[in-house]
mmCIF file of all heavy atoms in Angstrom:
data_model
loop_
_atom_site.group_PDB
_atom_site.id
_atom_site.type_symbol
_atom_site.label_atom_id
_atom_site.label_comp_id
_atom_site.label_asym_id
_atom_site.label_seq_id
_atom_site.Cartn_x
_atom_site.Cartn_y
_atom_site.Cartn_z
ATOM 1 N N ARG A 50 23.139 41.577 -94.854
ATOM 2 C CA ARG A 50 23.014 41.647 -93.485
ATOM 3 C C ARG A 50 23.600 42.810 -92.661
ATOM 4 O O ARG A 50 24.407 43.458 -93.184
ATOM 5 C CB ARG A 50 23.541 40.368 -92.728
ATOM 6 C CG ARG A 50 25.025 40.130 -92.805
ATOM 7 C CD ARG A 50 25.733 40.574 -91.483
ATOM 8 N NE ARG A 50 27.227 40.596 -91.674
ATOM 9 C CZ ARG A 50 27.744 41.627 -92.004
ATOM 10 N NH1 ARG A 50 27.257 42.872 -92.324
ATOM 11 N NH2 ARG A 50 29.131 41.521 -92.090
ATOM 12 N N ASN A 52 24.676 43.880 -88.596
ATOM 13 C CA ASN A 52 24.968 43.201 -87.351
ATOM 14 C C ASN A 52 24.974 44.308 -86.174
ATOM 15 O O ASN A 52 25.654 45.249 -86.325
ATOM 16 C CB ASN A 52 26.421 42.608 -87.326
ATOM 17 C CG ASN A 52 26.759 41.920 -86.216
ATOM 18 O OD1 ASN A 52 25.834 41.294 -85.393
ATOM 19 N ND2 ASN A 52 28.047 41.685 -85.798
ATOM 20 N N GLY A 55 28.710 42.418 -81.908
ATOM 21 C CA GLY A 55 29.395 41.124 -81.938
ATOM 22 C C GLY A 55 30.179 41.049 -83.224
ATOM 23 O O GLY A 55 29.784 40.271 -84.146
ATOM 24 N N GLU A 56 31.280 41.796 -83.285
ATOM 25 C CA GLU A 56 32.086 41.829 -84.498
ATOM 26 C C GLU A 56 33.343 41.046 -84.400
ATOM 27 O O GLU A 56 34.039 41.198 -83.373
ATOM 28 C CB GLU A 56 32.233 43.202 -84.830
ATOM 29 C CG GLU A 56 32.142 43.607 -86.280
ATOM 30 C CD GLU A 56 30.708 43.452 -86.849
ATOM 31 O OE1 GLU A 56 29.783 44.352 -86.806
ATOM 32 O OE2 GLU A 56 30.421 42.358 -87.316
ATOM 33 N N HIS A 57 33.661 40.193 -85.203
ATOM 34 C CA HIS A 57 34.920 39.337 -85.215
ATOM 35 C C HIS A 57 34.878 38.321 -84.018
ATOM 36 O O HIS A 57 35.905 37.964 -83.499
ATOM 37 C CB HIS A 57 36.250 40.134 -85.094
ATOM 38 C CG HIS A 57 36.574 40.957 -86.380
ATOM 39 N ND1 HIS A 57 37.134 40.348 -87.420
ATOM 40 C CD2 HIS A 57 36.188 42.292 -86.775
ATOM 41 C CE1 HIS A 57 37.131 41.235 -88.437
ATOM 42 N NE2 HIS A 57 36.542 42.355 -88.109
ATOM 43 N N THR A 58 33.636 38.171 -83.616
ATOM 44 C CA THR A 58 33.531 37.221 -82.542
ATOM 45 C C THR A 58 33.007 35.830 -83.026
ATOM 46 O O THR A 58 33.317 34.780 -82.394
ATOM 47 C CB THR A 58 32.335 37.544 -81.728
ATOM 48 O OG1 THR A 58 31.256 38.081 -82.379
ATOM 49 C CG2 THR A 58 32.652 38.643 -80.603
ATOM 50 N N ASP A 59 32.703 35.742 -84.278
ATOM 51 C CA ASP A 59 32.138 34.393 -84.812
ATOM 52 C C ASP A 59 33.111 33.416 -84.852
ATOM 53 O O ASP A 59 32.988 32.313 -84.390
ATOM 54 C CB ASP A 59 31.288 34.644 -86.176
ATOM 55 C CG ASP A 59 31.996 35.359 -87.309
ATOM 56 O OD1 ASP A 59 33.146 35.731 -87.097
ATOM 57 O OD2 ASP A 59 31.469 35.450 -88.427
ATOM 58 N N TYR A 60 34.421 33.809 -85.476
ATOM 59 C CA TYR A 60 35.441 32.811 -85.586
ATOM 60 C C TYR A 60 36.071 32.520 -84.227
ATOM 61 O O TYR A 60 37.123 31.704 -84.329
ATOM 62 C CB TYR A 60 36.363 33.037 -86.803
ATOM 63 C CG TYR A 60 36.997 34.440 -86.716
ATOM 64 C CD1 TYR A 60 38.083 34.774 -85.903
ATOM 65 C CD2 TYR A 60 36.312 35.349 -87.541
ATOM 66 C CE1 TYR A 60 38.658 36.095 -85.934
ATOM 67 C CE2 TYR A 60 36.854 36.810 -87.410
ATOM 68 C CZ TYR A 60 37.957 36.998 -86.693
ATOM 69 O OH TYR A 60 38.513 38.203 -86.667
ATOM 70 N N SER A 147 27.786 42.355 -96.755
ATOM 71 C CA SER A 147 27.774 40.906 -97.141
ATOM 72 C C SER A 147 27.132 40.629 -98.383
ATOM 73 O O SER A 147 26.208 39.836 -98.404
ATOM 74 C CB SER A 147 27.271 40.069 -95.871
ATOM 75 O OG SER A 147 28.194 40.027 -94.912
ATOM 76 N N CYS A 189 36.485 33.474 -93.329
ATOM 77 C CA CYS A 189 35.460 34.189 -92.485
ATOM 78 C C CYS A 189 34.923 33.262 -91.443
ATOM 79 O O CYS A 189 34.947 31.990 -91.587
ATOM 80 C CB CYS A 189 34.413 34.739 -93.437
ATOM 81 S SG CYS A 189 33.554 33.465 -94.369
ATOM 82 N N GLY A 190 34.033 33.824 -90.659
ATOM 83 C CA GLY A 190 33.262 32.955 -89.751
ATOM 84 C C GLY A 190 31.975 32.717 -90.374
ATOM 85 O O GLY A 190 31.732 32.847 -91.571
ATOM 86 N N ILE A 191 30.873 32.346 -89.493
ATOM 87 C CA ILE A 191 29.590 31.901 -90.106
ATOM 88 C C ILE A 191 28.632 32.868 -90.150
ATOM 89 O O ILE A 191 27.537 32.724 -90.603
ATOM 90 C CB ILE A 191 29.214 30.621 -89.264
ATOM 91 C CG1 ILE A 191 27.936 29.954 -89.858
ATOM 92 C CG2 ILE A 191 28.852 30.911 -87.788
ATOM 93 C CD1 ILE A 191 28.408 29.213 -91.099
ATOM 94 N N MET A 192 28.867 34.069 -89.541
ATOM 95 C CA MET A 192 27.798 35.117 -89.170
ATOM 96 C C MET A 192 26.988 35.590 -90.501
ATOM 97 O O MET A 192 25.811 35.460 -90.420
ATOM 98 C CB MET A 192 28.367 36.315 -88.620
ATOM 99 C CG MET A 192 27.455 37.550 -88.624
ATOM 100 S SD MET A 192 27.834 38.740 -87.516
ATOM 101 C CE MET A 192 29.077 39.742 -88.613
ATOM 102 N N ASP A 193 27.692 35.930 -91.482
ATOM 103 C CA ASP A 193 27.036 36.502 -92.639
ATOM 104 C C ASP A 193 26.091 35.547 -93.321
ATOM 105 O O ASP A 193 24.982 35.716 -93.680
ATOM 106 C CB ASP A 193 28.091 37.009 -93.717
ATOM 107 C CG ASP A 193 29.019 38.006 -92.961
ATOM 108 O OD1 ASP A 193 28.893 38.406 -91.941
ATOM 109 O OD2 ASP A 193 30.125 38.339 -93.787
ATOM 110 N N TYR A 243 42.125 40.586 -92.746
ATOM 111 C CA TYR A 243 40.998 39.812 -91.947
ATOM 112 C C TYR A 243 41.664 38.523 -91.385
ATOM 113 O O TYR A 243 41.622 38.140 -90.408
ATOM 114 C CB TYR A 243 39.932 39.611 -92.872
ATOM 115 C CG TYR A 243 38.728 38.823 -92.244
ATOM 116 C CD1 TYR A 243 37.720 39.460 -91.632
ATOM 117 C CD2 TYR A 243 38.638 37.450 -92.267
ATOM 118 C CE1 TYR A 243 36.581 38.710 -90.952
ATOM 119 C CE2 TYR A 243 37.627 36.755 -91.632
ATOM 120 C CZ TYR A 243 36.731 37.406 -90.999
ATOM 121 O OH TYR A 243 35.649 36.767 -90.278
ATOM 122 N N GLY A 356 30.660 45.203 -89.464
ATOM 123 C CA GLY A 356 31.210 44.129 -90.414
ATOM 124 C C GLY A 356 32.647 43.999 -90.139
ATOM 125 O O GLY A 356 33.214 44.142 -89.147
ATOM 126 N N GLY A 357 33.296 43.404 -91.170
ATOM 127 C CA GLY A 357 34.814 43.085 -91.015
ATOM 128 C C GLY A 357 35.702 44.331 -90.805
ATOM 129 O O GLY A 357 36.605 44.278 -90.132
HETATM 130 C C1 GLA B 1266 33.016 39.572 -92.060
HETATM 131 C C2 GLA B 1266 32.990 37.982 -91.976
HETATM 132 C C3 GLA B 1266 32.189 37.527 -90.843
HETATM 133 C C4 GLA B 1266 32.551 38.274 -89.613
HETATM 134 C C5 GLA B 1266 32.531 39.771 -89.832
HETATM 135 C C6 GLA B 1266 33.154 40.370 -88.667
HETATM 136 O O1 GLA B 1266 31.828 39.999 -92.356
HETATM 137 O O2 GLA B 1266 32.538 37.426 -93.079
HETATM 138 O O3 GLA B 1266 32.409 36.137 -90.603
HETATM 139 O O4 GLA B 1266 33.809 37.735 -88.972
HETATM 140 O O5 GLA B 1266 33.423 40.141 -90.782
HETATM 141 O O6 GLA B 1266 32.374 40.370 -87.484
#
Side-chain angles (χ1 to χ4, degrees):
R50 62 103 189 89
N52 185 29
E56 224 61 90
H57 292 275
T58 45
D59 56 357
Y60 53 83
S147 289
C189 64
I191 190 70
M192 169 168 77
D193 305 348
Y243 181 96

